[in-house]
Amino acid sequence: MSDRQILQAMSGLMAGMFVSILAGTVVANALPRIIADLGASQSSYTWVVTAELLAMTATVPLWGKLADLYNQKLLLQISLGLFVVGSLLAGFSQDVGLLIFSRVAQGIGAGGLTALAQVVMAAIIPPRRLGKYAGLFGAVFAVGTVAGPLIGGVLVDTSWLGWRWCFFIGVPFALLAIVLLQRTLKLPTTRREVKIDYLGAFLIVAGVCALLIWVSLAGNSFDWASWQTAALTGGGVVLLAAAVLVESRVSEPIIPLGIFRNRTVTLTTVASLFVGLAMFGGTVFLSQYFQISLGKSPTVAGLMSLPMIMGLLVSSTVAGQFISKTGRWKAFLVAGGVLMTAGLGLLSTIGAETHFGLLSLYMAVMGVGVGMLMQNLVLAAQNDVPASELGAATSVLSFFRSLGGTVGTSVLGAILANRVAAEMSKGLQEAGVAAGGGSAGHGAVPDMTTLPAPIREIVEHAYGVATGELFLVATPFALLALVAVLFVKEKPLKTTSGMERLAEESAAAAQNTKTDPPRTPAGTPAEPAETT
C-alpha cells in the first residue's frame, strides 16, 4: 500500500482513537466539579476513573482474540457503538451510580478501540514503516489529550452547557469514525471455523475484576486485613488459576500461554504493566491537584497540562521517524524509561507552593519519556511474533498496560484519600477546628469556592503534599519498567505487513501439508484416507 492509501485507511482508526482518548481527558478537569455536584466522595472520584479502566482492561484480551477470528472493521464499529451508548448514559446521569455504570460501557468500547486499532495497523503496515505511522497516532493521542482538558474546562465553566456536555461531545466524533471506517478501511474477512473460549473469557474477567475491586475498596470501605480482603483476593486468585488451566487446554485460548515463551513479548508485557501503573496512576490526579491545591479553574488546569502533552507529542513523532529511517528502536525504549523515571522522581517534590515553571519542566521530562516508551513497546512485540498471533500479542500488551493503570489508579487513589484526610486532620487541629467539621471531613471532594480562606489553605496544602507522595510511590515502578526494557533484545524490523506475512505463513503451511504426508506414531507414512 502507498502512503496515501495507508493514510486513507487509517483516517477512521485515528478518528476512533481520538474519541476514546477524548472520553478520558475531557472528563479529567470536569471530575472535581461533577463529584461535588453529585455530592459524591473521594472514593467515587476514583471509581469514575477506575470503572472505565477496569472494563477496558478486562475486555481487551477478548477483543484481541476476536480480531484474530472475525472481521476487524466490524469489531471496531461495534466498539464505537458501545462507546456511544455509554457516553449518552453518562451525559444523562442523575447520580454517581449510573455515572459509574455508564463508564463501564464506555470502557468496554474503549477496550475494543485500544486493542483493534493497533492490530489493524500491524496488519496493513510493515514494522519497518510502522514507526512513522505510530508517530502519527502519537500525535492524535497528544491532540486528543491536549484538546480534551481544554474542551472539558470550557464546557464546565460555561453555565449554559455544563459538565454533561463533556460526555455528549464525543458522540458525533464516534459516529464520524464509524462512517470513515466503512468508507476507507478495506480488510479481508478470514472465513474459518472458530471456537470462542467463553469459559476462559469469563474466568479472566471475573478474576481480574475481583482483584481490582479489592484494590479499589480496601483501606476505604473495609480494612486491608479483613474477611472481605480474604474473600476477594482468594476468589480472584482461584479464578485466575482456573483461567490458566482452561487456557492451557482449549484449542482457541483467549490469551495463548505459549506466546510468553517469546522473550520479547514477556519483557515488553512486564514493561507495559509498570508503564501503565506509573503513568496512569501518577497522572490521573494531576487535574485535581491543579484545581484544588493550586486553586485553578478547569480551563486553566487544562492549559497547565500542555508541557507534558507537548513532550509526549514531540518525542513520539520524532522517535517514530527515526525508527522508520534507521530500523533501530531499543535506544528509544531505554531513553524513554530513563526520562519517565526521572520525570516521576522530580514530580514527587511538588507541593502547593511549587512554581509553574518547575512544574512544567518536570511534566515535560515525564511526557518525553512516555512518548518514547509506550508505543514502541508494542512495535517491538509485534515485530517478533508470527502474523497469526498479532492480535493476541497486541491485546496482551494493551491488557497489562491497562491493568497497571487500573491498579495504579485504585491504589494511589486510596493513598491520596488517606493522606489528604491525615494532613487535613493535622492542619485543622493546629488551627483549632474540629476535624469532622468540613465538607471534606467525611471523605467528600471539597468545593473550594465555598470554603473560608483559612480552611482553604489547609485543604490546598493537604492535596499538594498527598499528590507529591503519589509520584514518589509511582517512581519505583517506572524504574522496574526500565530494568525490563534493558533486557529486551533488539531485532531488525520486518519489511512486510501483517497481511503479507499471514499469507506467506498460510502458503508455507499448505505446502508442508502437501509435501509431508501424515505419519503414524511409529513414524511411517499413514495410508491415504478413503473418500466418500
Side-chain angles (χ1 to χ4, degrees), residues 187-212:
L187 291 174
T189 301
T190 304
R191 301 290 183 184
R192 66 186 181 92
E193 184 182 354
V194 296
K195 295 179 181 178
I196 302 296
D197 177 21
Y198 292 106
L199 177 59
F202 168 77
L203 292 171
I204 291 170
V205 171
V208 170
C209 288
L211 294 178
L212 292 180

Side-chain angles (χ1 to χ4, degrees), residues 11 29 53 56 112 131 137 143 170 178-179 197 199 219 239 321 354 367-368 384 435 490 497 506 526:
S11 60
N29 284 332
L53 284 173
M56 180 174 67
F137 265 82
V143 171
I178 291 173
V179 174
D197 177 21
L199 177 59
L239 288 168
Q321 294 289 341
T354 303
V368 170
D384 203 31
E490 185 168 25
S497 70
S506 299

